[in-house]
Amino acid sequence: MESRISGHTKLYCLIGSPVGHSGSPAMYNYSFARTGMDAAYLAFDIPLEQTAEGVAALKTLGVGGFNVTMPDKTAVAGIVDELSPAAKLIGACNTVTVGEDGRLTGHNTDGVGFVRNLREHGVEVRGQKLVVLGAGGAATAICVQAALDGAAEIAIFNRKDEFYPNGEHTVEKLSQAVPACKASIAPLEDRAALEQAVAGCDILVNATKVGMKPLDSETLIDPAWFRPGLVAADTVYNPRETRMIREAQAAGCKAAIGGIGMLLWQGVAAFQLFTGKEMPAQEVLEKFFS
Ligand code: NAD
């Protein structure tokens, strides 16, 4: 690293709180080195109440771009000069690019990463019916990107918690902005409606915390609902294979796709936005995500 840092080295970074556990610095610094870029990536712990100051400081320092993690994603979307169409609909951004003139553009690569991960497994969302479990940040990004990429129907199921109104808001936004995609929401507690929706969909997505440690022994889906024509996809990547994914595989589903690829491909999309270059995805996957 020392031999790579010069007086011209461009700085990129992650902001959010906490950031200490993040794998992003290792992934980006490796990719900068492999693509011959004079650039370095650091992580800065910026609590929510200091988001505006933090972003102003990054602007002053002339960073090349930055990623944003929780809890700053929504606040940053309200600060940047412009938003990509997806980030605008999602209302949150995880990647900010800096133009020649210093203008900040907010993007959201979570949904892009999810859709790309499906594609890498031979699954396209265009024309498909999705059931999405969840109405938080990841679910919203997935619903918006899938709708923008031509999904025919998106049925959201969420428990009646504080995220439910967010799901209703997503349905309203999609109905306005992407009317060709039929969006709906129903309570997760309505198991009969969920069973029926799963029976009629092409792609089932878990974008809740169920399946993630410490909820790793749980699943929201009755394994009897799986069938060979169904694609099951999880956002959870810790553990790599959730109970839902294991049960979908065992039931012979067309594809059972874990969440680690979404994490990789959202990073690849951000790297492309920052540098215009392809991250060495396969190497990064083997080195940092296996
Ligand atoms: P969030 O806090 O914004 O939303 C949490 C969601 O989980 C809500 O819909 C909530 O209702 C639901 N939920 C929580 N506990 C539940 C329970 N016991 N039963 C039913 N529903 C429950 O979180 P988020 O950022 O949207 O993350 C959601 C999941 O997506 C997490 O598992 C996270 O690891 C994963 N994720 C993965 C990636 C990736 O790159 N693979 C990126 C972001 C998030």
Side-chain angles (χ1 to χ4, degrees), residues 172-219:
E172 275 165 37
K173 285 189 293 187
L174 290 182
S175 308
Q176 294 277 322
V178 199
C181 177
K182 197 176 140 211
S184 63
I185 180 162
L188 191 55
E189 290 83 356
D190 188 346
R191 299 289 291 174
L194 178 60
E195 181 178 1
Q196 202 182 2
V198 173
C201 82
D202 306 294
I203 304 171
L204 167 68
V205 183
N206 175 45
T208 71
K209 295 195 165 165
V210 176
M212 184 172 86
K213 286 176 185 164
L215 303 176
D216 49 332
S217 65
E218 297 183 25
T219 176

Side-chain angles (χ1 to χ4, degrees), residues 110 134-139 158-159 161 163 188 207-210 212 215 220 235-237 259 262-263 266:
D110 281 335
N158 203 78
R159 63 180 186 180
D161 62 10
F163 290 94
L188 191 55
T208 71
K209 295 195 165 165
V210 176
M212 184 172 86
L215 303 176
L220 295 170
T235 57
V236 174
Y237 55 85
M262 174 181 172
L263 188 65
Q266 65 77 27

